[in-house]
Amino acid sequence: MTCCEGWTSCNGFTLLVLLLLGITLNAIPLIVNLVDEGQFLQNPISCFEWWFPGIIGAGLMVIPATTMSLAARKRACCNNRIGMLLSSLLNGITVIGAVYCTLVSLRALSEGPLICNSQVNSTSSCEFSFNNLSNIHPESFDLQWFFRESCVAPAEVTDPTLSGTRASDGGRYSLNFSSKENRHRMIHFSVFLGLLLVGILELMCGLSQMAIGLLGCLCGVTKRRSRIV
């Protein structure tokens, strides 16, 4: 096995693990929603799992490069200039998917779960637009929705009928939230933090393989030595 071919094979196993991990993480909130509500789209944890960053971005878009990289070990399909160029091009799709997964995860972590941002806990309050991906502000990554006692700010509770659920403590209000809210916050944080790491690692693997593929295409690869039995 050549040097470039060995790196490609190693990238293939890494991408396979990340691919499966991304799909699993994306499926967790969907399965939890199905178990809790008995149907999809009813009181979802957030809008962003329905953008499928792990299933599409870190999953389906990584399959071509993963298949090509794994085939490099058994079929020596990357042991030539054309194979290395094709590997580099397929990893371009991986990079696009990884960037998509990373951007959606960053936006999800900045916004928090749907229950913390909307009184109407359904996908009818979600805006599925790619323009929203660019609307990310660094100051929104304080993760206050996760670290503070309540994910719903006291100022947002304007209904006087809810005053009985608030307790005053030296002029400060604390909102008692149910275990469902705690569960939504924990699942949302864990899932999209994991998808963020998966997206970053896939991006690194994709870019490195693109560089190796272009290098192998331009400079050529060494031929296998014949074995003497």
Side-chain angles (χ1 to χ4, degrees):
M1 180 179 294
T2 65
C3 179
C4 292
E5 191 176 327
W7 183 274
T8 300
S9 179
C10 180
N11 260 354
F13 284 107
T14 304
L15 287 176
L16 178 61
V17 174
L18 293 174
L19 181 156
L20 296 176
L21 183 59
I23 293 176
T24 302
L25 286 172
N26 198 159
I28 288 176
L30 302 178
I31 295 175
V32 171
N33 176 228
L34 179 62
V35 172
D36 287 347
E37 305 296 338
Q39 57 181 337
F40 287 122
L41 299 176
Q42 184 69 28
N43 296 329
I45 293 179
S46 75
C47 302
F48 300 100
E49 63 259 23
W50 292 100
W51 288 35
F52 302 116
I55 294 177
I56 295 179
L60 296 179
M61 297 184 71
V62 184
I63 291 178
T66 303
T67 304
M68 182 71 179
S69 298
L70 292 177
R73 184 178 183 86
K74 293 187 177 181
R75 299 183 180 179
C77 61
C78 291
N79 198 22
N80 55 73
R81 293 176 184 267
I82 297 178
M84 295 303 297
L85 177 61
L86 181 60
S87 174
S88 181
L89 294 177
L90 291 178
N91 273 274
I93 303 176
T94 297
V95 169
I96 296 175
V99 170
Y100 173 72
C101 178
T102 301
L103 291 178
V104 173
S105 300
L106 286 173
R107 185 63 193 274
L109 289 174
S110 66
E111 292 291 332
L114 192 60
I115 199 171
C116 298
N117 295 282
S118 174
Q119 298 297 327
V120 181
N121 200 28
S122 104
T123 52
S124 61
S125 61
C126 299
E127 295 182 3
F128 297 93
S129 171
F130 286 100
N131 293 329
N132 291 337
L133 291 179
S134 60
N135 189 22
I136 300 177
H137 305 285
E139 61 273 10
S140 62
F141 288 97
D142 54 4
L143 299 178
Q144 289 300 312
W145 59 267
F146 180 74
F147 290 109
R148 65 190 177 192
E149 184 179 359
S150 172
C151 69
V152 180
E156 296 178 1
V157 184
T158 58
D159 190 349
T161 60
L162 298 177
S163 59
T165 62
R166 293 185 297 177
S168 177
D169 183 15
R172 298 175 61 186
Y173 291 96
S174 61
L175 180 64
N176 296 322
F177 50 85
S178 63
S179 59
K180 178 180 179 180
E181 296 181 26
N182 278 327
R183 185 167 64 252
H184 279 204
R185 289 198 295 174
M186 182 59 67
I187 292 175
H188 184 87
F189 179 78
S190 302
V191 165
F192 287 103
L193 180 60
L195 286 175
L196 176 62
L197 297 177
V198 167
I200 293 175
L201 291 176
E202 285 187 349
L203 180 61
M204 294 172 60
C205 289
L207 290 175
S208 65
Q209 183 57 39
M210 288 180 67
I212 290 294
L214 290 176
L215 181 63
C217 178
L218 295 175
C219 302
V221 294
T222 60
K223 301 296 183 180
R224 289 172 176 248
R225 296 179 179 179
S226 58
R227 294 183 178 180
I228 301 177
V229 181

